[in-house]
Amino acid sequence: MDLFFIPPRICWWRVLFLLSIFQDYLSNMLDCPPTCSCSPTEIYCNKSDNGKFFPLLALQDTGNNGNNSIEDLFKNITSIHIENWTGLQTLKDVDMELYTGLQRLTIMNGNLRGIQARAFSQNPHLRYINLSKNPLTTLSWQLFQNLQLFELRLEEVVFECGCDIRWIQLWQQRGEAGLHTQLLFCNNGASKIPLQAMNISLCDLPDISVTHYNLTVIEGDRVTVTCNGSGSPLPEVDWTVNDLHSINTHQSNVYWPNVHSINLTLVNVSRDDNFYMLTCIAENKVGMANASIQLTVHFPPTILKLDEPERRHETCIEFTVRGNPQPTLRWFHRDKEIPPSDYIRTEMDTYQDYLEGCLNFKDPTHHNNGNYTLEASNFLGVTTKTVYGHFLNAPFSDGTPTPTITVTHRPEEDTFGVSIAVGLAGFACVLLVVLFVLINKYGRRSKFGMKGPVAVISGEEDSASPLHHVNHGIITPCTLDAGPDAVVIGMTRIPVIENPQYFRHGHNCNKPATYVQHIKRRDIILKRELGEGAFGKVFLAECYNLSPTKDKMLVAVKTLKDPTLVFSQTLKDPTLAARKDFQREAELLTNLQHEHIVKFYGVCVDGDPLIMVFEYMKHGDLNKFLRAHGPDAMILVDGQPLQTNGELGLSQMLHIATQIAAGMMYLASQHFVHRDLATRNCLVGNGLLVKIGDFGMSRDIYSTDYYRVGGHTMLPIRWMPPESIMYRKFTTESDVWSFGVILWEIFTYGKQPWFQLANNEVIECITQGRVLERPRVCPKEVYDIMLGCWQREPQQRLNIKDIQKILYALGKATPVYLDILG
Ligand code: AMP
């Protein structure tokens, strides 16, 4: 294909027009001008050429359908070098406008006499310009005003001395664009003088001043600002008002002998001009000066966005508010202002006059559902907007009636009880009463007895006792292979799966041959009270004749209040039955022997009260111990806080957890489901020895009503997995869940799980799949274990053996220092 050269006077649109006509056979390839050599990025023309035109790449038909547009091909040229082109006298806008990616331009040793004012306006990337050895007589700084020139070479250009080139002299003095490294001359009438020697009067940079530097106005106001440019030559002065939103802006010029003033009036100032910089520019031949006014627009707040939280997933009501000065935000819920707290708080960022953020809820429940009103105010006004926040459905809102739940709380943490009573349908009431009668008649027992933070679910409840099972609604005595049973909580019938170990061992119906040690009352000397549990006081005592090696030893004795209140009441002789239950419980405890299960020495049944004797664990229960060794712990001396007890470190926490896991491994190996694993039921001895120390919840396997208090069953719901809460299903896996909660207790120094929630909210959270947050001091590896314990599917939970191994390994990696303990 032949090459052809397009002189620039042919309008480019004609080229495009031609191109569109012949596009079937013209491909968009460009070719190099005849006397030049070209690469995709450079045009190099150093042969003498008398052509008058700037080299322009020409179209070429190669039959190759390239993907590049013509604009792109020109844009790829970054360097043009023209030397010895005597025909090129004027550099025009059109010569340069297609080379929009140009960075280096050399036109030297030619016949260039003038450059059009906007020649470089389309070449913003130009960094190097060499115009040396051309007969230019003048040059304007304005050609380069939008460029960031590294170098402007003007060697052997002899300008006419005068104000027009004073700027070059100034740039040389300032060392700009490499001009200071060049020896430049100007023609001063007859002689050629160094440019630095040129002395021109009344030729200087303009001065500029504005009437304000910061201007604060109220939206809608009218305001006038003035800019004064002065100097010789008298400058042109102008306000730049691009993208200004305020309407009816107009400028008026006033000329004084040495000052050029210009007023700018903004009518109906817009909030969109807040932060706008009104810039005034004064220009003359020598250069330019500018000055700016920062505009501040005050306007009343508006709520641009208030989003309903996305159901279930979001715990935040998103908002965007705009206003200046920055509005004050207040939130209202149920006609009351929401005070800032750890549970509901506003988090926001400011961007200019925008406030963007969230009203954040920590673990919201259905109690948080409702309308939320945001009020934004500043001195110019107040605005409000309301959104409905839906976080969780009320528990049992799937159509099943809500159970009646009464709540008891650990007094220091939850000072209020919550009682929800949902109206019972007459039919359900009748059913309930019938069930009550049946269950009481056949001696059904409550299985849970609790101290500490537990929920009490009233109404009839619970699984069948080992002696009597409610089997598919039919009560059968001592059914060893009993399948899932049913209990009624409020009006909800809930299936119950039995404690497996009871059936495997066949306790209860077939009495195991276990010898329970009997201790004589006279051998027990009470010393002081250690605490009080669900079924009586616990004392520190000296016990004689217990150990073959020691005359006496310290023990913890548990006294039973009134056994007939806690043991089998339903038999003809409650006292006798209670004693039998007590005996069976003692047998169970005698059979459980492990280094991390508190040692059971025996019973004292000669007279009242009944007593159980355990090994004494010096530091008491683990929950108290954790609190005493937490960051907030203080020892009181004479009622005055004096010193901390020594905070538990990571290695100690791991050591504690590993021991409990070891105890649990043993229980699991015995097919014993504990049902009430919590730090309050573990005990701490010397040298940070920890043992599982209370088997209250498991006692139902001895068919007692032991934990039944006033017709209530007490459940440790904060430690229970969803299936235990919903179906009363207790398994080794549900114990693993509780162990996860124990870990959480350990790493929070004994905090109550979900302490911020009422019990019915806890039930809702757990059953809906929420889990406790990672405690502040808890390493990720440990939280991963917790999460492994809190898998919703019991089968997917970690098993206690693996947990024990991981904890042991983590503990080994972190040496244990037990020096805080006596
Ligand atoms: P309990 O009846 O098991 O709930 O015990 C009530 C309180 O008595 C516990 O919180 C402990 O502080 C204390 N206690 C129970 N058993 C022992 C023991 N074996 N050694 C030391 N203190 C104990």
Side-chain angles (χ1 to χ4, degrees), residues 336 436 528 533-534 587:
K336 279 203 191 109
F436 257 125
R528 67 180 161 88
E587 284 166 7

Side-chain angles (χ1 to χ4, degrees), residues 450-451 529-540 555-559 598-599 613-624 679-684 693-696 699 706:
M450 284 297 309
K451 59 188 171 184
E529 195 179 311
L530 292 172
E532 184 156 7
F535 61 105
K537 288 191 169 164
V538 182
F539 294 92
L540 172 67
V555 291
V557 302
K558 288 192 175 181
T559 59
V598 72
K599 222 176 266 154
V613 182
F614 293 89
E615 82 178 286
Y616 170 59
M617 301 288 281
K618 185 178 166 190
H619 294 289
D621 78 69
L622 176 59
N623 189 267
K624 264 186 232 151
T679 57
R680 66 180 170 273
N681 286 331
C682 298
L683 292 161
V684 186
D694 196 301
F695 296 85
R699 289 188 180 138
Y706 188 78

Side-chain angles (χ1 to χ4, degrees), residues 452-470:
V454 293
V456 182
I457 299 189
S458 81
E460 196 41 77
E461 75 302 289
D462 210 350
S463 61
S465 76
L467 288 174
H468 304 92
H469 294 278
V470 182

Side-chain angles (χ1 to χ4, degrees), residues 575-630:
T575 311
L576 180 66
R579 283 179 176 261
K580 278 186 179 169
D581 287 344
F582 183 75
Q583 172 71 18
R584 279 195 292 266
E585 174 142 6
E587 284 166 7
L588 169 85
L589 291 169
T590 306
N591 282 325
L592 292 175
Q593 289 178 26
H594 184 263
E595 56 187 319
H596 294 296
I597 304 291
V598 72
K599 222 176 266 154
F600 174 65
Y601 290 127
V603 293
C604 172
V605 287
D606 56 348
D608 286 324
L610 297 176
I611 284 174
M612 286 183 170
V613 182
F614 293 89
E615 82 178 286
Y616 170 59
M617 301 288 281
K618 185 178 166 190
H619 294 289
D621 78 69
L622 176 59
N623 189 267
K624 264 186 232 151
F625 179 85
L626 290 167
R627 287 164 183 253
H629 293 89

